[in-house]
Amino acid sequence: MSTESEKYFKSGELREIKFQFNQLDKDGDGAISSKELQVALDRVGEKLTVKEIEKLIAGVDINKSGKIEWGEFLTILHNIRSGVEVSEIGEKLKKTGVVHVVSVGGGSGVHGYSEEEVEAFTDYINSTLQDDTDLKDKLPILGNKLFEACNDGVLINKLINTAVPGTVDERVINKKTKMNPWERNENHVLAINSSKAIGCRVVNIQPEFIDEGRPHIVLGLIWQIIKIGLLSDINLKAHPELVRLLGEGEELADLLKMNPTDLLIRWVNYHLKNAGSDRRIRNFEGDIKDSEVYTILLSQIAPNKECSKDPLNEKDLEKRAEKMLQEADKIGCRKFVRAKDVVSGNPKLNLAFVANLFNNYPALENVNMDDYAALLNFDTEGTREERAFKFWIQSLDIDCNNIPEDIRDGVVLLKVFDKVKPGCVNWKKVNDPPKNRYHKVENCNYCVDLANQFKFSTVNVGGLDICDGNKKIILGMIWQLMRRSLLDTLKQLGGGKEIDEKDIVQWANSKVTDEKPIDGLDDKSLRTGVFLCKLCAAVRPTACNLDLVTPGETDEDAEQNAKYAISVARKIGATVFLLFEDILEVKPRMILSFLASLMKVDKSK
């Protein structure tokens, strides 16, 4: 997301800084640790001595539990490059309100969250899950008890289902009032793997961190889950009318590759323009602090003109923000932010506030779908594969928002190659970022060269196909990378013995002894879900209650079995991205990914 500090950097430079920052932001909470500060600065060309780093850390009161957000890092970097003494930067940041100091573990430290965020997310959870009978002993959460309420894993799994309904089969959650450490751990593993499956970045999140209630870890995960739920429908598939936001000279592809946050910024600016205002925003921090943008936006989107512009008559910014929120309350949208959060420009809470406004009142004219039918043709099966592959790429700690759009310049695909086989990419040959179409085609040609080295199927595949966004070819390439990653892992666990699909099917049949063996990955008997449930039980008997598994003879029963198998697999440690429809339709690629992930768990014992 854009931050106020980004104005100090050129776009190309900013992309490189962001890339280096994301490489260190392993848990995806938008922050790095104090230990990683020197590495991050070094990677962007600021080689501070150990003593200078110590002065910088001391200046901003960072301890071992400290975290530095993206915007904070940019501000620190800008100050260093502006010649500010490192010992003075901490005090400078505090005076500008950039650093949020909170108490953790008896120490004072810079974290990727604020007390306001704890309060806002607690309110959201209390409101969203208030009727859940399984949480009656936890809700409402009072005071600073959020982290304690999460330590058995039940609440986080429930929260995932509010973001993306049906992700977690709740029959799989351990719900006893008093759980032993093993049962709590199973819930945490289920939550982490289910979070991966909806697009959260959880590279550095361990089950014990949730169990211990580590604030920045738990709150970072909660924010990602809430954010995914809020932003899930801010796309052209759910809202074709977003084509109204196209700028002069732009193509629909430009909108398709925009992330939801940038779409929201454009949506706000669209309504500001229609209101005749000269104001425009680039972020949800400094650009919205005076409440003028929000006041105008509310007056534009209120369905019956309930929201007035009277708050603009108030000179005091916090009082103006309060009056603006009173206007928002008239249309049921006073959520996530308090007046002080608007004035301070809290980026997470203001993003949540605006996303909620859009979800309730987009206020965009409908479009004639016939005019955009070819471009907005979201076929169900293709979209499912795109979703699975996108989340797999994200699980590798690589940014990917849209397939095929984010793949077309070759950079993301090259990063995936390098994750699957570290060191295989010669980054000196890569145009990152590519400056023109020629550079993009060069990158894509390099992808094809690597695919040939990997002995992938590349008949009639060229770099131009990838650059032009040929979805079939791109999905095929990503699938071969995913398959290679799975098989290489199994090879390592098997002592170096080559593994292929036949070996995986043979392993599965050897584990499930009371069902007819499957003939292959396209065996139609797999659609009932019974074999897969029994395979999960064979890998870990205590995690699967076979009394809940039906013969799967009807579509409804087969669906329930498939959902149960997916959640049990995640509970026992398998990272799987398929949906129940993939099982019902017996999609060989997705079935292979499921079986291979379970085999990995079994071989890792």
Side-chain angles (χ1 to χ4, degrees):
M1 187 177 77
S2 299
T3 74
E4 196 171 9
S5 307
E6 292 183 0
K7 64 186 179 185
Y8 300 122
F9 302 89
K10 294 179 181 179
S11 59
E13 179 185 32
L14 193 62
R15 282 195 295 271
E16 175 59 24
I17 296 170
K18 182 67 171 175
F19 171 73
Q20 297 299 343
F21 186 89
N22 285 343
Q23 294 300 300
L24 295 172
D25 176 20
K26 297 302 183 185
D27 58 10
D29 67 350
I32 60 174
S33 72
S34 60
K35 291 181 179 179
E36 295 162 336
L37 179 58
Q38 183 172 16
V39 178
L41 289 171
D42 183 71
R43 288 187 180 184
V44 296
E46 300 302 325
K47 299 184 183 299
L48 274 63
T49 66
V50 174
K51 287 187 177 180
E52 286 175 323
I53 287 291
E54 288 174 351
K55 286 181 181 179
L56 179 57
I57 291 174
V60 293
D61 291 327
I62 305 174
N63 65 10
K64 291 182 179 179
S65 59
K67 300 284 282 185
I68 302 171
E69 287 188 336
W70 165 240
E72 295 166 356
F73 178 71
L74 286 181
T75 305
I76 290 170
L77 181 58
H78 171 66
N79 276 278
I80 291 172
R81 292 182 175 178
S82 299
V84 177
E85 289 291 328
V86 292
S87 58
E88 298 174 6
I89 291 177
E91 202 58 40
K92 190 176 179 70
L93 293 178
K94 290 175 191 173
K95 286 179 180 177
T96 58
V98 175
V99 172
H100 312 291
V101 181
V102 296
S103 177
V104 177
S108 182
V110 180
H111 293 267
Y113 72 93
S114 67
E115 293 290 358
E116 290 80 10
E117 289 166 14
V118 175
E119 196 173 341
F121 300 158
T122 298
D123 287 348
Y124 176 81
I125 289 169
N126 284 338
S127 171
T128 305
L129 294 171
Q130 61 182 337
D131 296 326
D132 194 307
T133 55
D134 292 324
L135 299 173
K136 62 179 183 291
D137 61 326
K138 293 181 174 65
L139 302 182
I141 301 168
L142 303 175
N144 200 26
K145 299 291 185 182
L146 175 60
F147 310 114
E148 183 181 327
C150 294
N151 66 7
D152 66 5
V154 178
L155 189 149
I156 292 181
N157 278 296
K158 295 277 189 174
L159 188 63
I160 290 168
N161 275 349
T162 67
V164 183
T167 300
V168 179
D169 187 324
E170 296 196 4
R171 295 174 294 175
V172 177
I173 304 172
N174 298 322
K175 300 177 184 176
K176 293 192 306 187
T177 304
K178 291 185 178 181
M179 289 185 230
N180 60 44
W182 180 255
E183 291 167 329
R184 291 202 306 271
N185 186 78
E186 284 187 328
N187 280 350
H188 300 324
V189 172
L190 173 61
I192 291 169
N193 283 322
S194 298
S195 296
K196 281 185 192 177
I198 64 171
C200 293
R201 294 174 64 174
V202 297
V203 175
N204 206 34
I205 300 179
Q206 301 299 323
E208 58 267 28
F209 296 167
I210 303 174
D211 201 66
E212 294 165 6
R214 295 193 187 184
H216 65 283
I217 293 290
V218 174
L219 204 67
L221 180 58
I222 287 173
W223 164 239
Q224 288 192 80
I225 295 167
I226 292 174
K227 180 181 176 184
I228 284 169
L230 288 171
L231 303 184
S232 61
D233 284 339
I234 302 176
N235 56 63
L236 282 159
K237 182 181 180 183
H239 287 280
E241 66 271 23
L242 282 168
V243 298
R244 300 284 182 199
L245 306 186
L246 276 171
E248 187 176 346
E250 286 187 323
E251 299 178 354
L252 195 61
D254 297 313
L255 278 185
L256 284 169
K257 65 185 178 184
M258 288 178 71
N259 64 50
T261 301
D262 290 336
L263 281 174
L264 280 178
I265 289 173
R266 184 168 289 206
W267 173 71
V268 172
N269 288 335
Y270 173 86
H271 283 300
L272 290 174
K273 180 180 179 181
N274 284 352
S277 171
D278 293 330
R279 289 288 298 270
R280 298 292 184 271
I281 67 169
R282 294 178 60 250
N283 56 63
F284 294 119
E285 294 181 76
D287 289 356
I288 49 79
K289 286 183 177 181
D290 63 6
S291 296
E292 180 181 344
V293 166
Y294 284 165
T295 301
I296 296 171
L297 177 63
L298 287 167
S299 71
Q300 286 292 110
I301 67 174
N304 299 307
K305 305 300 179 186
E306 300 95 327
C307 300
S308 75
K309 297 181 182 178
D310 291 347
L312 297 180
N313 298 324
E314 175 59 60
K315 302 300 182 186
D316 181 278
L317 291 187
E318 192 158 335
K319 290 180 180 177
R320 181 191 292 178
E322 174 57 34
K323 290 184 177 181
M324 177 275 296
L325 289 173
Q326 290 173 7
E327 297 298 316
D329 199 29
K330 293 178 181 179
I331 56 173
C333 288
R334 181 170 185 156
K335 292 185 177 180
F336 293 107
V337 294
R338 291 166 174 74
K340 60 184 178 182
D341 303 320
V342 176
V343 175
S344 68
N346 184 299
K348 293 177 183 175
L349 301 185
N350 280 285
L351 170 61
F353 175 69
V354 176
N356 184 60
L357 289 176
F358 177 89
N359 288 331
N360 284 281
Y361 304 105
L364 296 170
E365 289 183 42
N366 290 329
V367 296
N368 184 346
M369 289 298 292
D370 292 338
D371 295 339
Y372 302 97
L375 292 168
L376 294 178
N377 179 25
F378 299 101
D379 66 285
T380 305
E381 183 182 340
T383 302
R384 289 209 309 268
E385 275 204 334
E386 290 166 35
R387 174 190 181 278
F389 294 163
K390 177 181 75 172
F391 291 156
W392 173 66
I393 290 172
Q394 289 176 353
S395 76
L396 300 175
D397 200 26
I398 298 171
D399 286 334
C400 181
N401 180 63
N402 181 283
I403 295 176
E405 294 304 322
D406 287 353
I407 308 297
R408 293 176 61 177
D409 66 7
V411 176
V412 168
L413 207 51
L414 288 167
K415 289 178 182 177
V416 177
F417 271 104
D418 210 36
K419 287 283 187 178
V420 173
K421 186 180 179 181
C424 73
V425 176
N426 180 356
W427 288 102
K428 291 181 180 179
K429 295 174 60 176
V430 180
N431 302 296
D432 184 17
K435 296 179 180 178
N436 50 49
R437 177 173 169 82
Y438 177 76
H439 282 170
K440 294 177 183 178
V441 174
E442 273 192 337
N443 288 345
C444 294
N445 283 336
Y446 189 18
C447 290
V448 176
D449 290 343
L450 288 171
N452 286 324
Q453 292 175 32
F454 277 47
K455 294 183 170 46
F456 288 173
S457 173
T458 57
V459 178
N460 297 323
V461 174
L464 274 173
D465 297 310
I466 299 172
C467 192
D468 289 340
N470 185 309
K471 190 181 295 187
K472 182 177 180 180
I473 284 174
I474 287 172
L475 291 176
M477 182 82 74
I478 296 172
W479 161 245
Q480 291 184 84
L481 281 162
M482 186 178 184
R483 174 184 177 275
R484 173 66 175 266
S485 178
L486 287 166
L487 296 185
D488 280 356
T489 301
L490 292 174
K491 178 181 175 181
Q492 292 170 10
L493 292 171
K497 179 180 178 294
E498 293 290 343
I499 298 286
D500 62 15
E501 282 85 347
K502 290 182 180 178
D503 296 313
I504 293 171
V505 171
Q506 185 178 5
W507 165 82
N509 283 329
S510 72
K511 300 295 290 187
V512 180
T513 57
D514 58 344
E515 285 287 316
K516 179 185 175 184
I518 57 173
D519 295 327
L521 300 170
D522 57 354
D523 190 311
K524 295 304 179 184
S525 69
L526 287 166
R527 77 171 306 278
T528 67
V530 175
F531 185 92
L532 300 180
C533 287
K534 290 191 173 183
L535 181 59
C536 290
V539 173
R540 186 180 298 168
T542 58
C544 186
N545 182 358
L546 291 177
D547 290 339
L548 299 175
V549 179
T550 68
E553 293 171 351
T554 67
D555 288 345
E556 183 179 353
D557 284 350
E559 177 182 329
Q560 292 304 310
N561 287 347
K563 289 179 176 178
Y564 189 66
I566 291 169
S567 282
V568 172
R570 290 173 180 153
K571 181 178 181 178
I572 64 180
T575 300
V576 293
F577 298 97
L578 80 172
L579 298 174
F580 75 86
E581 293 96 335
D582 297 316
I583 295 176
L584 265 59
E585 296 171 19
V586 194
K587 297 299 178 184
R589 289 179 176 179
M590 295 294 100
I591 296 293
L592 173 61
S593 70
F594 186 87
L595 297 184
S597 295
L598 278 176
M599 187 175 178
K600 176 184 174 183
V601 172
D602 188 47
K603 298 297 183 182
S604 299
K605 292 178 182 177

